[in-house]
Amino acid sequence: MINSSSSKQVGQDQPATSEPKSQRTKIKMVKSEDSDKRMLNKKLKDVEISIPIVYGNVSFWLGKKASEYQSHKWTVYVRGATNEDIGVVIKRAVFQLHSSFKNPTRVVESPPFELSEAGWGEFEIAITLYFHSDLCDKPLTLYHHLKLYPEDESGPMSSKKPVVVECFDEIAFPEPSEGFLVRVQNHPAVNVPRLHTGFTLPPPVPFEDANRKKRGDTKDHPLSQWFMNFSEADELLQLAAARQQVQAHLAKLRRQISMIDGQHQQLKTISDS
Amino acid sequence: MDAKDILGLPKNSVTQEKKSRPQKDSQRKPDGISREVYALTGGLAPLIPAIEASQLKKRPPSDEKITWQWLPFTNSARKDNLHLYHWVRIVNGVPPTGDYSFAKYNKSVDIVKYTDEEYEKYLTDPMWTKEETDQLFELCQSFDLRFIVIADRFPSSRTVEELKDRYYSVARAMLIARAPSPGDISGHPLVKEPYNVSQETERKRALSMVLSQTKQQERKDAEVLAEAKRITESRMVARGAEESELPVPSNAGPESAERAAAIPADTVSPSSNVQQHPSAAVAPSTITVDNASILASLRMLRVYLRTYALDQMVQAASSSAGLRTIKRVEQTLQELGVNLKPRVPTKAVCAEHLELRREILTLLNLQKQLQYKEAEGSSYRDGSYADTPGTPKHLSHGGDQDRTFVPDMSFAGERMGKRDQKRKAPGRLSEAPLPAHKRPRKSKAADL
């Protein structure tokens, strides 16, 4: 008995807090079904992390206060798709505006990564994201066409309801460093794939205090009521339904083809004789 | 000028050219150099001016008094104390000091010197007598280790490599013998990489062979090398494809090669419920090879956007298809109610999207196949046995026009159900897709 209990203790040599340990055991249970021996040999480079983001703009017509050169007040931004704090990944965002703006290169050093301006014209904004040095030293640029005017040109413009255009995308890092993985393994903004049984990360450093975290996310953002919803599940459902149709049709075609082949064979034997 | 009139050429062009050319020339002439001298350079200034143009007109500073004197001098590089005379530039009555300015260029190599005892102790060699070795070293000293020259003047005939070998092994032995401890000289090049006679002879032989190759041999060599490169490249690609195919055992299902690296069963998504139909009718090996190279290139990027990755893979998948086929795929997607570019491009969604595109491509190919086969069938029935089977391309299109059974892509949900359609052709096929005549515009899309 003593032996068994001591061996248990030896097994638990990780001085981890309870949370990551339970995570790891949860992963282990899922893995046992699929334990491909090959997986154990895979290195860090097969762990690709992704950060789902949404970028776009919200634009309000200024109504009575609109002048010729400042008819709209707009905000262009990059946010986490689930409104979590992407500051853990993104160090700063640089918005390159139209040259007619003063200081068209606007740098935002902390989340929320957004920029508000007033103007009258629609143009392409280049948003360059710089990541933390332990993740990636190469920046990534997104392009967003600023939309101020509603699609329906004939309708009346309302200063209460803004024009909102948002785009969903995922930033993928194919070979993140182990240090970064440790930093973000349980962060809600980052998608980290399940790690393999043989591979364990050192326990994460607990996050900085909640206050700091709170400010970075956009859950309580003043514009959050206008944010669009992006449902992965809906799209997957749609795609699955489409695939089912195509596959059924494929099956039918294959049957037809094999039937015809059979008939041709018959005809051939007839003609040969 | 009359000729230009006759030919109808515009008169102005010539005069314009004449005007612009002299303007250009006069613009480019720099100051400080006369025009003719500048023109010697070809009319273009050198990128880095060798001499500052302003320097050429510089006069010496007026506070210095320059005279020239005929004075004797000695050369420290000479051993015979020879006195020669030359003109010396005197500034303000003070003659210049210092050695003869060219003495510093008299460099020589430090040749190893050995005493007789040292020779007895370390340097004896069956192949070399002491005399020969001494002669060699004398020559080395006087000719600064120029072995080609030394070999020429060496009394007995020895090859350059032999002489080099003897010299370097002697030098090495002396170095090791004289060093206070072996560690001191372990970094010395003579000790680290001793002269290798056989390697050198071989190398020189190979070099001379290469240099004396005929043109034909050169060409053949180049061909062989190119072929070898191609083979190694295709081997690398095949290995890459293998590695990505391995984790996908038998379910050639919706997983793209990229996701095959992850665990397939994990994904909690409706896609896992879709029946895993082996969709690849298009050569699967080429698809995975393209995909593997795209994946490899994506992995080389430190960071990328999912939409970019999807674009690349879609392009790769449709690289083998013509423009019309790509348009048909997109049309099909639209009919199915699927966004051409997914609205929520997550990894899972992109994978599904890609697989859907592939399946549609397969579908279109199969439709074409079916058409061909049915056209073949008509040739059999019409008794045109002159046509060899299996060459449907030779059949005219006209034969197909009255057979409007080209499968229509009107996927409107429940319409997919079995319906008996009236058709002109004898109804051999039990299941018929919707006829084209109901939707005339769709038949255009189904054109080959």
Side-chain angles (χ1 to χ4, degrees):
Chain A
M1 277 194 301
I2 301 171
N3 282 341
S4 60
S5 63
S6 65
S7 64
K8 243 198 195 167
Q9 276 188 347
V10 167
Q12 297 169 354
D13 55 347
Q14 318 262 349
T17 59
S18 57
E19 190 196 21
K21 192 168 77 171
S22 62
Q23 278 259 20
R24 224 173 283 131
T25 45
K26 190 164 54 164
I27 292 168
K28 264 205 169 122
M29 288 198 292
V30 175
K31 286 264 176 316
S32 56
E33 308 150 357
D34 257 326
S35 49
D36 218 342
K37 298 285 174 12
R38 249 176 266 114
M39 302 294 184
L40 288 170
N41 297 329
K42 291 223 175 113
K43 299 178 275 279
L44 192 57
K45 60 181 183 161
D46 287 316
V47 177
E48 184 188 85
I49 63 170
S50 56
I51 292 105
I53 54 161
V54 172
Y55 60 96
N57 74 272
V58 170
S59 143
F60 284 92
W61 180 52
L62 289 172
K64 279 189 288 190
K65 300 195 204 136
S67 69
E68 196 188 334
Y69 290 110
Q70 301 211 329
S71 57
H72 288 73
K73 184 159 166 22
W74 49 265
T75 308
V76 64
Y77 54 86
V78 181
R79 63 178 175 91
T82 45
N83 287 318
E84 295 291 347
D85 178 14
I86 47 175
V88 65
V89 171
I90 299 179
K91 189 163 65 172
R92 87 178 93 94
V94 178
F95 296 87
Q96 186 68 33
L97 303 179
H98 191 266
S99 43
S100 57
F101 281 87
K102 218 165 72 154
N103 303 328
T105 312
R106 307 283 171 93
V107 182
V108 180
E109 296 279 2
S110 67
F113 298 103
E114 64 181 18
L115 175 72
S116 296
E117 260 291 349
W120 59 270
E122 298 182 341
F123 54 89
E124 190 180 75
I125 302 178
I127 311 173
T128 309
L129 302 173
Y130 291 85
F131 306 102
H132 289 290
S133 38
D134 65 343
L135 174 58
C136 178
D137 41 22
K138 223 180 68 149
L140 185 68
T141 307
L142 313 162
Y143 296 93
H144 174 67
H145 187 84
L146 181 70
K147 192 137 177 56
L148 304 179
Y149 302 95
E151 280 296 330
D152 181 15
E153 290 175 4
S154 56
M157 292 215 279
S158 144
S159 57
K160 300 273 186 339
K161 206 155 168 286
V163 170
V164 181
V165 173
E166 282 191 332
C167 236
F168 180 101
D169 213 328
E170 271 190 349
I171 308 178
F173 297 92
E175 293 180 19
S177 67
E178 190 169 334
F180 182 76
L181 271 180
V182 168
R183 189 152 70 83
V184 301
Q185 32 178 333
N186 294 324
H187 196 284
V190 182
N191 285 345
V192 182
R194 310 265 182 82
L195 302 168
H196 322 299
T197 6
F199 185 80
T200 47
L201 288 176
V205 175
F207 292 122
E208 291 96 47
D209 56 297
N211 284 338
R212 200 164 160 237
K213 185 187 166 181
K214 253 300 170 207
R215 243 181 289 140
D217 70 75
T218 44
K219 288 185 185 146
D220 294 327
H221 196 275
L223 293 172
S224 59
Q225 59 177 306
W226 307 114
F227 290 164
M228 292 162 68
N229 268 328
F230 292 91
S231 165
E232 183 186 3
D234 283 347
E235 189 119 19
L236 280 173
L237 219 52
Q238 192 191 57
L239 284 170
R243 284 188 70 188
Q244 249 184 335
Q245 284 189 337
V246 173
Q247 283 161 5
H249 204 69
L250 268 174
K252 207 162 60 152
L253 272 179
R254 289 204 171 97
R255 278 199 293 275
Q256 286 177 335
I257 287 179
S258 61
M259 266 214 301
I260 290 196
D261 280 341
Q263 284 159 355
H264 285 181
Q265 277 298 74
Q266 283 180 358
L267 280 175
K268 263 186 87 176
T269 48
I270 290 172
S271 68
D272 288 346
S273 63
Chain B
M1 288 304 286
D2 290 334
K4 290 255 160 48
D5 270 336
I6 296 167
L7 288 171
L9 286 173
K11 281 193 210 169
N12 295 333
S13 56
V14 182
T15 46
Q16 271 174 0
E17 280 169 29
K18 277 201 185 144
K19 268 189 209 156
S20 55
R21 243 186 277 127
Q23 263 178 15
K24 265 199 286 179
D25 272 346
S26 57
Q27 266 174 8
R28 285 216 198 136
K29 186 181 83 80
D31 313 317
I33 313 181
S34 75
R35 194 165 44 88
E36 283 88 10
V37 175
Y38 187 67
L40 281 177
T41 62
L44 278 170
L47 285 171
I48 306 162
I51 307 169
E52 282 283 311
S54 49
Q55 295 278 355
L56 292 171
K57 290 236 172 126
K58 209 167 74 162
R59 309 254 186 263
S62 47
D63 55 342
E64 292 178 351
K65 263 184 88 180
I66 309 289
T67 49
W68 289 86
Q69 280 187 20
W70 183 250
L71 295 173
F73 70 97
T74 50
N75 186 350
S76 60
R78 292 188 73 95
K79 298 184 190 67
D80 51 3
N81 210 17
L82 175 69
H83 288 266
L84 292 175
Y85 289 78
H86 65 183
W87 286 105
V88 178
R89 187 173 182 264
I90 309 279
V91 182
N92 289 341
V94 180
T97 51
D99 195 10
Y100 180 57
S101 60
F102 295 105
K104 61 181 183 280
Y105 298 116
N106 188 40
K107 299 239 187 269
S108 62
V109 185
D110 294 325
I111 305 287
V112 169
K113 299 254 171 15
Y114 51 83
T115 62
D116 288 341
E117 301 97 54
E118 283 175 324
Y119 187 88
E120 296 300 314
K121 257 174 56 180
Y122 310 112
L123 307 176
T124 51
D125 190 298
M127 303 277 292
W128 286 79
T129 64
K130 187 166 189 307
E131 280 171 344
E132 275 195 306
T133 315
D134 287 345
Q135 275 176 337
L136 170 64
F137 271 73
E138 247 178 85
L139 285 174
C140 285
Q141 177 67 46
S142 58
F143 288 117
D144 288 332
L145 286 188
R146 293 202 184 108
F147 283 103
I148 309 287
V149 176
I150 294 169
D152 250 358
R153 284 164 171 67
F154 204 71
S156 51
S157 66
R158 294 266 192 176
T159 65
V160 175
E161 288 82 36
E162 281 176 31
L163 296 173
K164 276 195 189 177
D165 184 35
R166 182 57 177 154
Y167 173 76
Y168 287 124
S169 42
V170 165
R172 189 164 185 267
M174 291 311 303
L175 200 62
I176 293 172
R178 288 179 185 163
S181 81
D184 286 346
I185 45 155
S186 56
H188 196 277
L190 265 181
V191 176
K192 262 204 325 201
E193 287 150 42
Y195 184 75
N196 187 339
V197 189
S198 47
Q199 195 185 45
E200 280 295 299
T201 358
E202 190 50 41
R203 178 181 69 87
K204 286 186 183 167
R205 190 188 67 80
L207 190 62
S208 65
M209 275 189 53
V210 169
L211 285 173
S212 54
Q213 257 186 351
T214 63
K215 266 218 178 98
Q216 251 194 353
Q217 276 179 307
E218 252 187 75
R219 250 184 287 138
K220 269 195 232 159
D221 277 348
E223 276 175 42
V224 169
L225 282 172
E227 191 60 47
K229 196 171 165 205
R230 249 179 283 146
I231 292 173
T232 44
E233 271 180 12
S234 62
R235 270 203 207 135
M236 296 260 283
V237 169
R239 212 180 303 138
E242 253 180 32
E243 280 172 5
S244 59
E245 276 179 351
L246 269 175
V248 185
S250 57
N251 58 330
E255 326 291 346
S256 66
E258 147 190 50
R259 281 197 50 212
I263 301 161
D266 275 352
T267 49
V268 182
S269 64
S271 68
S272 55
N273 296 331
V274 174
Q275 64 186 71
Q276 313 238 323
H277 204 94
S279 53
V282 186
S285 57
T286 42
I287 283 185
T288 38
V289 165
D290 279 339
N291 230 21
S293 56
I294 299 275
L295 288 174
S297 67
L298 283 175
R299 231 180 282 142
M300 297 301 270
L301 303 170
R302 301 284 306 282
V303 55
Y304 60 88
L305 277 176
R306 190 71 63 202
T307 45
Y308 168 79
L310 180 63
D311 273 343
Q312 296 281 303
M313 300 216 238
V314 166
Q315 266 186 33
S318 26
S319 58
S320 52
L323 194 58
R324 233 196 216 153
T325 325
I326 298 173
K327 285 234 158 6
R328 287 180 68 194
V329 170
E330 295 186 346
Q331 201 164 20
T332 316
L333 282 171
Q334 279 173 329
E335 287 169 25
L336 289 163
V338 170
N339 300 319
L340 282 179
K341 287 190 188 258
R343 199 166 155 267
V344 190
T346 62
K347 198 167 175 173
V349 165
C350 288
E352 284 293 299
H353 187 94
L354 207 59
E355 282 308 310
L356 179 60
R357 275 184 184 256
R358 291 202 184 114
E359 284 170 358
I360 294 175
L361 211 57
T362 313
L363 184 65
L364 296 175
N365 286 336
L366 278 189
Q367 280 176 351
K368 235 189 270 184
Q369 235 185 49
L370 186 60
Q371 261 191 316
Y372 284 153
K373 291 204 185 266
E374 279 168 337
E376 272 182 351
S378 77
S379 80
Y380 282 138
R381 265 178 284 110
D382 296 347
S384 51
Y385 298 124
D387 285 312
T388 51
T391 55
K393 291 190 184 107
H394 295 175
L395 295 170
S396 60
H397 264 294
D400 286 341
Q401 285 317 338
D402 53 351
R403 303 183 180 287
T404 52
F405 50 64
V406 172
D408 215 332
M409 296 304 293
S410 42
F411 289 99
E414 61 274 19
R415 292 251 231 112
M416 279 286 291
K418 300 187 179 107
R419 257 198 195 182
D420 283 332
Q421 302 298 333
K422 248 194 188 177
R423 285 178 29 219
K424 297 173 197 171
R428 218 181 285 145
L429 305 168
S430 53
E431 287 175 318
L434 300 169
H437 68 262
K438 283 238 164 153
R439 294 248 206 125
R441 52 188 166 84
K442 291 295 184 194
S443 64
K444 274 197 217 128
D447 264 354
L448 278 175

